Amino acid sequence: MTSADRPPVRVGVFGLLGSGNLGNDGSLEAVLGYLRHRHPDAAVDALCGGPEAVTARFGIPATRLHWYRGEYRTASRAGAIAGKGLGKLVDVFRTAAWVRKHDVVIVPGMGVLEATLPLRPWGFPYALFLLCASGRLLRTRVALVSVGAAEIRNRPTRALVRWSGRLAAYRSYRDDQSRDAMRAMGVDTARDKVYPDLAFSLPAPRSPELSASPPAFGREVPPEQGGTPIEPSGAPGPVCVGVMDFHGGNDDRARAEEIYRRYLDGTIRFVRTLAEEGRPVRLLTGDTCDTSVVAAILDAVDSPLVTAAEPASLADLMNEMAAADTVVAVRYHNLICALKTGTPALALSYAAKSDALMERMGLGAYCHPAREVDADRLLQQFRALEKRSAELRQVLAESNQAAARQLDDQFDELTATLFPATDHAHAQRETR
């Protein structure tokens, strides 16, 4: 049978995609870009959190991840509890039926093997376990590609994550800590490799002046301050502040509100000081839940210099950040967007993954704990960062080139591992 006669490879993508998290959707975009370039004949569909959004944006068929529609709402009534319980049983068969239709299933990036944010074992960890177990039983290759991991204390969650890792046919991680965490939780990682986050394979903005973000939201903004701020000649330019509805992680539930208040109060003080010094500040989100934080900051800081964007993609975030002098951000993929555009960034770090990312890109000295935001110290770090701006932009340019080469290697490895029958055909096309 010639390559022309072969049926198309059936590829599934899996995860909390289309659910309002820009980083997750950016990871999907990166994998779809790889598939369209290397395997243009592949038939691709998704099992995901927001199927309507995924189909509308990416043009691929998509199926809802959970049978029970109220999966991520707290169940307090007997009917809701029964619905969730029944859903767990139904999802065993739904997941297996979906996996059976595919030759390969890819989990594109994301922190699918960690619990650095609040997480219950019977939510996504259970869904991921069903996927990996179905793949092993039905001989469908499941690939965890450039994923994040962290050691988990909760025993049920830890067990589900460990078995998901063991049952996957392919694993790669976005940092050394992730691989070390999986090894510590009992997964043999001897053959697993570390590559940059998939979002580093996305195209960077062509020009800092271009911005694809929708209009600002919050209070009315004069026309001269709408959209992406443009740096005045000879004056300090805009600062992008990426915010997050941050209440700590799984182990912080008892002090979640305290963590949130400290983070928000520190961020408000930081933004107010910048505005008082005449710096334009652009507030950015990374998930739909972050808009409440933006509203709180706008209410507390009464200045026309403080505006907010409503980004719908990582491309929107990159366009905003490319126009800024400096970025201060919490969310992992907000940081990646800043670093990808070569804009010096200061991380409000809530997990080891952020520290690892900043260290890898040459900005390891510019991290500040998100759980204990100290506005005065944050301002000191910010000013120190800006003094080295020109030098750090060169560092980032070199780091981005290295990340692009490493991700090319990752995609080569994926093709050789998951699509061996099409690898030779692709090589022939590339030489034509």
Side-chain angles (χ1 to χ4, degrees), residues 113 149-151 158 162 166 171 173 175-194:
L113 302 175
E151 277 203 70
R158 183 185 179 99
R162 178 174 63 248
R166 286 176 174 175
R171 295 176 301 269
Y173 307 97
D175 51 51
D176 290 322
Q177 282 105 320
S178 294
R179 182 170 59 183
D180 293 344
M182 292 304 288
R183 183 184 301 120
M185 288 192 288
V187 177
D188 181 2
T189 62
R191 297 182 180 181
D192 300 351
K193 295 183 181 179
V194 173

Side-chain angles (χ1 to χ4, degrees), residues 241 243 260-277 279 281 283 293 296-303 306 328 348 368 372-380 382-383:
V241 177
V243 304
Y260 173 74
R261 286 310 319 176
R262 183 161 186 173
Y263 159 70
L264 181 60
D265 292 346
T267 303
I268 287 171
R269 281 191 58 200
F270 176 74
V271 170
R272 181 182 289 123
T273 299
L274 292 182
E276 289 171 350
E277 293 175 353
R279 297 292 295 270
V281 177
L283 303 177
V293 181
I297 295 172
L298 289 173
D299 287 343
V301 183
D302 186 15
S303 170
V306 181
V328 178
L348 287 175
H368 188 97
E372 300 175 358
V373 176
D374 180 326
D376 293 332
R377 189 157 66 88
L378 183 60
L379 283 162
Q380 289 175 359
F382 172 80
R383 299 192 205 292

Side-chain angles (χ1 to χ4, degrees), residues 208-352:
E209 285 76 25
L210 295 176
S211 174
S213 294
F217 70 100
R219 63 170 58 88
E220 281 297 314
V221 182
E224 66 271 20
Q225 291 167 349
T228 301
I230 304 298
E231 178 179 350
S233 177
V239 178
C240 284
V241 177
V243 304
M244 180 177 179
D245 184 23
F246 179 61
H247 294 77
N250 247 16
D251 299 330
D252 300 314
R253 291 179 184 273
R255 51 191 290 259
E257 190 57 31
E258 173 195 341
I259 289 171
Y260 173 74
R261 286 310 319 176
R262 183 161 186 173
Y263 159 70
L264 181 60
D265 292 346
T267 303
I268 287 171
R269 281 191 58 200
F270 176 74
V271 170
R272 181 182 289 123
T273 299
L274 292 182
E276 289 171 350
E277 293 175 353
R279 297 292 295 270
V281 177
R282 190 75 159 159
L283 303 177
L284 303 174
T285 59
D287 194 297
T288 51
C289 66
D290 299 334
T291 55
S292 62
V293 181
V294 169
I297 295 172
L298 289 173
D299 287 343
V301 183
D302 186 15
S303 170
L305 290 174
V306 181
T307 61
E310 197 170 3
S313 66
L314 293 190
D316 290 352
L317 281 173
M318 282 193 274
N319 284 328
E320 293 283 352
M321 291 173 174
D325 273 8
T326 312
V327 173
V328 178
V330 189
R331 284 196 179 274
Y332 183 78
H333 281 93
N334 281 27
L335 288 171
I336 286 179
C337 286
L339 301 171
K340 171 74 176 174
T341 61
T343 304
L346 199 164
L348 287 175
S349 176
Y350 68 87

Side-chain angles (χ1 to χ4, degrees), residues 13-256:
V13 288
F14 176 94
L16 292 177
L17 310 164
S19 300
N21 184 286
L22 302 187
N24 291 359
D25 289 356
S27 298
L28 171 60
E29 182 180 355
V31 164
L32 292 178
Y34 152 71
L35 291 172
R36 286 164 181 162
H37 174 61
R38 300 285 190 95
H39 307 282
D41 298 327
V44 184
D45 71 305
L47 185 63
C48 60
E52 296 85 1
V54 166
T55 297
R57 179 176 172 191
F58 298 106
I60 61 174
T63 303
R64 193 170 68 250
L65 181 59
H66 301 288
W67 174 81
Y68 182 62
R69 291 180 178 271
E71 174 61 36
Y72 292 105
R73 293 195 295 268
T74 300
S76 56
R77 296 184 178 181
I81 294 172
K84 276 197 173 186
L86 178 60
K88 299 305 170 192
L89 179 60
V90 174
D91 285 343
V92 172
F93 301 98
R94 290 180 71 251
T95 303
W98 182 80
V99 168
R100 185 189 293 274
K101 299 174 184 177
H102 298 87
D103 301 300
V104 175
V105 174
I106 296 176
V107 181
M110 307 177 285
V112 296
L113 302 175
E114 63 183 48
T116 52
L117 295 175
L119 185 70
R120 299 293 189 188
W122 52 84
F124 187 77
Y126 175 74
L128 183 64
F129 169 74
L130 291 183
L131 172 77
C132 295
S134 298
R136 179 62 65 91
L137 288 170
L138 300 170
R139 299 185 180 180
T140 296
R141 288 160 287 180
V142 174
L144 309 180
V145 181
S146 286
V147 297
E151 277 203 70
I152 298 169
R153 295 181 184 178
N154 179 275
R155 287 186 178 181
T157 305
R158 183 185 179 99
L160 288 167
V161 165
R162 178 174 63 248
W163 278 104
S164 295
R166 286 176 174 175
L167 293 169
Y170 173 90
R171 295 176 301 269
S172 65
Y173 307 97
R174 62 191 181 189
D175 51 51
D176 290 322
Q177 282 105 320
S178 294
R179 182 170 59 183
D180 293 344
M182 292 304 288
R183 183 184 301 120
M185 288 192 288
V187 177
D188 181 2
T189 62
R191 297 182 180 181
D192 300 351
K193 295 183 181 179
V194 173
Y195 295 100
D197 190 273
L198 289 169
F200 279 107
S201 70
L202 296 174
R206 292 189 302 274
S207 166
E209 285 76 25
L210 295 176
S211 174
S213 294
F217 70 100
R219 63 170 58 88
E220 281 297 314
V221 182
E224 66 271 20
Q225 291 167 349
T228 301
I230 304 298
E231 178 179 350
S233 177
V239 178
C240 284
V241 177
V243 304
M244 180 177 179
D245 184 23
F246 179 61
H247 294 77
N250 247 16
D251 299 330
D252 300 314
R253 291 179 184 273
R255 51 191 290 259

